[in-house]
């Protein structure tokens, strides 16, 4: 298809311990599949003291391995401690360090300097993209909720603005972020004094309906989809629309293998159907979803030929 | 207390607007009858002509009319949101309430004298975010997301003295950061950000299974009510779910926000205006809660107590209330 489309490994959303993170990123560094890796705590600043050294170490060896390293910011910085962490990260931008803003506070701190905008900031139209570009954004990752016609319109505007557009193609879908921690609440705790219970669930806490249907995952203050976003047959249309990078969000499966599926798909080594089959096999019993890009419920699975 | 809190009230219909004005609102907010506003429900909202009449009525009574254009413009259809801004400017409102920076940029560029308020749907959750909207679009007032303790609010007002702060004190409570939640569209395909609806009524089913009443949203069970339990509306984040082998109200109990008792603290924290949620509520509700809050504010201004909690009016969800994020333990 094209070698120009880059693969980005998005930030790890789960509360994995430092050692597990380092092992994970060493495997990513040792393989040439991913072009860029986004690091940094997005969900909860309470995790940062335990993992920030590992993040900095990973940043170093990933950069040495030739990866572009991007630091992401908190999705919902509210308290003084969270704001201090936000200011620290935004302060690094410009010294050859790329920073991705996930809300307006980060955009304020990065205003006028080159920066990226992450998928937690609401970009639903080209007018929004124009504002971001005028203030220094060089690259954006679109939110999960958009359907194809919006992706096409925004990507087209991005081309005119000289701004690269990335789209999430794989991983649990972040559906909400809260000041309250439902993970702690499920353990009878509050966010203060949470005992870091989110670390007990390597892929978030499963949330089912009262009729036993799998539905959501709670990851600290974040609510994720239980189904995993899998865009495969849609990739040619995204590339044709001018999307310049695909974002793959880490799950507890072989993420090097997942990246290779997308690289092979972009290289024309496999087709969309074959890629989808391999990704489903890697996911085991996790359900796949692609509804948002087809203008349907995000949890849904739409057959691509029916909408192409 | 040296200053009086401005009372900002909802109007889903012209008759609710009249009720709010007569009950003592200082300002009334409403939206157009389309997906440019976050209460895009059947039978609600205002045509352009009704908006003009409403704005005129408010001005005659010394009440500030505000129009909410607080969803995110759909790519390729930005003209719908621009037209809403044009209409609001034409009918002469005291402010428009926006969330999308594309819409804000259009309004600031086209109508520099039209007062801009930042909707809660923009979820400006820290002083830097508030400063961003003030710097880029000259936003005059920010409606804070429901993530702040009273101390957090003081942090915003102290560091951004040039921007007024408005906070919700009564009504439905979003558990998630507003404008950043796609739970509804994940299940149903329609969301607050894009369509102005959360957990839309056409996807709701109530089904009797023996003596249990089941509420479902787009096929997902949101709750099961035993005999004698109040069957609330299946708003997704207010449902009962199973986690760790236990059924519970995982995100939030079926409660409404009532921060009436905190009015003195909010005023002391530098809040300019207090807001009532509920454009979907009828005129009887609006009249009752606006009247109670009017008396509470006036009592405070005269050095008295805020008075009876507004929830005593008996209109709240499940009859139970919370002070939400304003108290630290909520988190």
């Amino acid at each position: 298809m094209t070698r120009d489309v880059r693969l980005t490994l998005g930030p790890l959303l789960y509360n994995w311990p430092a050692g597990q993170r380092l092992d994970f990123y060493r495997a990513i560094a040792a393989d040439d599949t991913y072009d860029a890796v986004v690091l940094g705590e997005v969900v909860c600043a309470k995790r940062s003291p335990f993992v920030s050294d590992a993040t900095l170490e990973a940043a170093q060896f990933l950069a040495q391995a030739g990866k572009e390293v991007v630091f992401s910011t908190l999705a919902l910085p509210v308290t003084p401690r969270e704001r201090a962490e936000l200011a620290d990260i935004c302060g690094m931008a410009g010294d050859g360090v790329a920073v991705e803003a996930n809300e307006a506070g980060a955009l304020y701190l990065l205003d006028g300097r080159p920066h990226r905008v992450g998928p937690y900031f609401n970009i639903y139209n080209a007018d929004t993209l124009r504002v971001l570009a005028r203030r220094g954004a060089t690259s954006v990752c679109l939110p999960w909720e958009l359907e194809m016609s919006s992706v096409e319109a925004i990507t087209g505007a991005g081309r005119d603005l000289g701004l690269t557009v990335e789209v999430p193609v794989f991983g649990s879908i972040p559906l909400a972020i809260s000041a309250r921690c439902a993970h702690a609440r499920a353990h009878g705790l509050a966010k203060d004094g949470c005992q870091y219970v989110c670390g007990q669930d390597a892929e978030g806490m499963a949330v089912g309906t009262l009729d036993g249907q799998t539905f959501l995952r709670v990851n600290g203050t974040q609510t994720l989809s239980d189904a995993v976003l899998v865009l495969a047959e849609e990739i040619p249309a995204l590339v044709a629309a001018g999307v310049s990078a695909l974002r793959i969000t880490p799950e507890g499966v072989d993420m090097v293998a997942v990246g290779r599926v997308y690289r092979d798909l972009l290289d024309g080594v496999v087709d969309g159907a074959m890629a989808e089959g391999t990704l489903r096999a890697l996911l085991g019993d996790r359900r796949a979803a692609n509804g948002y890009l087809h203008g349907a419920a995000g949890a849904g699975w739409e057959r691509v030929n029916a909408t192409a | 207390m040296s200053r009086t809190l401005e009372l900002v009230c909802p109007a889903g219909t012209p008759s609710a607007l009249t009720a709010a004005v007569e009950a003592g609102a200082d300002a009334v907010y409403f939206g157009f009858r389309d997906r440019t506003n976050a209460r895009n429900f059947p039978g609600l909202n205002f045509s352009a002509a009704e908006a003009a009449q409403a704005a005129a009525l408010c001005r005659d009574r010394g009440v500030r009319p505000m129009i909410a254009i607080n969803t995110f413009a759909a790519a390729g259809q930005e003209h719908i949101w621009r037209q809403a801004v044009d209409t609001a400017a034409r009918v002469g409102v005291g402010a428009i309430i926006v969330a999308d920076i594309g819409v804000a940029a259009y309004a600031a560029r086209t109508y520099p004298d039209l007062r801009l308020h930042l909707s809660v749907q923009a979820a400006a959750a820290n002083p830097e975010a508030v400063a961003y909207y003030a710097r880029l679009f000259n936003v005059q007032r920010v409606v804070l997301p429901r993530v702040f303790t009273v101390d957090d609010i003081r942090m915003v007002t102290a560091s951004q003295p040039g921007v007024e702060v408005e906070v919700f004190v009564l009504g439905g409570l979003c558990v998630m950061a507003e404008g950043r939640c796609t739970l509804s569209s994940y299940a149903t395909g329609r969301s607050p950000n894009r369509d102005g609806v959360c957990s839309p009524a056409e996807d709701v089913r109530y089904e009797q299974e023996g003596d249990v009443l089941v509420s479902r949203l787009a096929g997902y069970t949101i709750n099961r009510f035993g005999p004698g339990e109040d069957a609330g509306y299946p708003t997704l984040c207010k449902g009962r779910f199973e986690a760790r082998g236990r059924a519970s109200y995982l995100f939030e109990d079926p409660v409404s926000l009532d921060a009436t008792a905190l009015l003195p603290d909010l005023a002391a924290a530098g809040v300019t205006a207090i807001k009532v949620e509920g454009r979907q509520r009828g005129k009887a509700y609006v009249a009752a809660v606006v009247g109670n809050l009017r008396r509470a504010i006036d009592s405070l201004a005269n050095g008295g107590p805020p008075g009876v909690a507004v929830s005593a009016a008996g209109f709240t969800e499940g009859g139970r209330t919370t002070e939400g994020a304003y108290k630290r333990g909520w988190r």
Side-chain angles (χ1 to χ4, degrees), chain A residues 75 125 128 145 175 192 211, chain B residues 100 135 180 182 191 221 328:
Chain A
N125 53 68
T128 293
E145 199 186 22
L175 299 173
D192 295 338
D211 286 321
Chain B
D100 183 351
R135 177 191 281 175
R180 310 184 68 185
T182 57
S191 75
T221 298
R328 194 175 167 98

Side-chain angles (χ1 to χ4, degrees), chain A residues 75-80 83 86 102-105 107-109 111 120-122 124-128 130-132 134-135 145-147 149-150 153-154 173-182 185-187 190-192 200 205-211 213-216 218 223 225-227 287 289 292 295-300, chain B residues 72-76 78 82 100-103 105-106 121 123 125-129 131-133 135-137 146-148 152 155 159-160 175-177 179-183 185-191 193-194 209 214 216 219-224 236 240-244 246-253 325 328-331:
Chain A
L76 187 62
V78 178
T79 65
R83 290 169 58 213
L86 176 69
N102 279 322
E103 48 76 55
L107 290 175
Y108 178 77
L109 295 171
D111 195 28
Y120 295 87
F121 188 77
N122 283 330
Y124 283 93
N125 53 68
D127 283 354
T128 293
R130 288 185 193 101
V131 173
L132 295 172
R134 202 160 57 233
R135 310 306 296 205
E145 199 186 22
L146 296 177
E147 83 293 352
S149 62
S150 288
I154 296 168
I173 306 169
L175 299 173
I177 184 92
S178 176
R180 170 181 260 189
C181 183
R185 184 171 153 89
H187 286 258
K191 188 179 171 190
D192 295 338
Q200 296 175 15
M205 175 180 67
V207 176
T209 69
L210 295 187
D211 286 321
Q213 191 174 6
T214 60
F215 189 23
L216 303 170
V218 164
T223 304
S225 65
D226 179 75
R287 211 164 53 77
Y292 277 135
Chain B
F72 292 81
E78 290 93 335
R82 290 181 188 167
D100 183 351
I101 62 172
V103 174
Y106 173 76
Q121 295 301 116
N126 50 62
E128 294 77 14
Y132 175 82
Y133 291 99
R135 177 191 281 175
L136 265 63
F137 313 113
R146 282 160 273 196
V147 304
F148 288 113
D152 293 334
M155 174 176 84
S159 70
Q160 300 299 322
V175 187
M176 310 303 183
R180 310 184 68 185
C181 178
T182 57
L183 283 168
S185 66
Y186 180 67
T188 74
R190 302 219 297 153
S191 75
N193 283 2
R194 297 166 54 106
E209 295 183 1
V214 185
R216 293 197 172 91
Y220 294 97
T221 298
I222 303 301
N223 214 334
R224 297 174 64 89
L236 214 158
R240 212 154 18 181
F241 298 104
E242 188 170 291
R244 306 186 71 239
R246 198 172 68 89
S248 73
Y249 288 102
L250 181 64
F251 302 106
E252 179 62 291
D253 297 309
R328 194 175 167 98
W330 183 83
R331 288 174 178 167

Side-chain angles (χ1 to χ4, degrees), chain B residues 152-167:
Chain B
D152 293 334
I153 293 171
R154 190 175 292 110
M155 174 176 84
V156 174
T157 56
S159 70
Q160 300 299 322
V163 184
E164 295 174 353
V165 161
E166 179 174 311
V167 299

Side-chain angles (χ1 to χ4, degrees), chain B residues 48-245:
Chain B
E50 287 166 341
Q53 286 167 5
L57 170 74
C58 286
R59 282 193 302 270
D60 285 351
R61 302 288 294 267
V63 171
R64 184 195 294 196
M66 304 174 176
I67 292 186
I69 306 170
N70 60 343
T71 51
F72 292 81
Q77 295 169 61
E78 290 93 335
H79 61 278
I80 297 172
W81 279 260
R82 290 181 188 167
Q83 279 167 11
V85 174
D86 294 342
T87 305
R90 194 171 62 241
V91 305
V93 288
I96 61 170
I97 308 167
V98 300
D100 183 351
I101 62 172
V103 174
Y106 173 76
R109 181 172 74 238
T110 315
Y111 306 101
D113 295 332
L114 178 58
R115 193 178 156 91
L116 274 187
H117 290 187
L118 190 71
S119 171
V120 70
Q121 295 301 116
N126 50 62
E128 294 77 14
V130 172
Y132 175 82
Y133 291 99
R135 177 191 281 175
L136 265 63
F137 313 113
N138 192 27
V139 160
Q140 309 274 300
R141 178 182 294 184
V142 171
V143 185
L144 293 184
R146 282 160 273 196
V147 304
F148 288 113
T149 63
V150 174
D151 284 342
D152 293 334
I153 293 171
R154 190 175 292 110
M155 174 176 84
V156 174
T157 56
S159 70
Q160 300 299 322
V163 184
E164 295 174 353
V165 161
E166 179 174 311
V167 299
F168 280 93
V169 295
L170 197 76
L173 170 80
C174 272
V175 187
M176 310 303 183
E178 297 90 341
R180 310 184 68 185
C181 178
T182 57
L183 283 168
S184 176
S185 66
Y186 180 67
T188 74
R190 302 219 297 153
S191 75
N193 283 2
R194 297 166 54 106
D195 308 289
V197 290
C198 176
S199 308
E202 59 268 35
D203 289 299
V204 170
R205 298 285 180 276
Y206 290 95
E207 282 152 337
Q208 198 71 42
E209 295 183 1
D211 58 1
V212 173
L213 181 65
V214 185
S215 65
R216 293 197 172 91
L217 182 71
Y220 294 97
T221 298
I222 303 301
N223 214 334
R224 297 174 64 89
F225 302 99
E229 272 192 293
D230 277 340
Y233 188 86
T235 304
L236 214 158
C237 62
K238 309 286 174 59
R240 212 154 18 181
F241 298 104
E242 188 170 291
R244 306 186 71 239

Side-chain angles (χ1 to χ4, degrees), chain A residues 253-269:
Chain A
V253 300
D254 183 346
M255 293 308 298
V256 170
V258 169
R260 282 192 186 138
V261 172
Y262 281 98
R263 179 50 69 199
D264 285 347
L265 180 55
L266 290 168
D267 289 347
V269 175

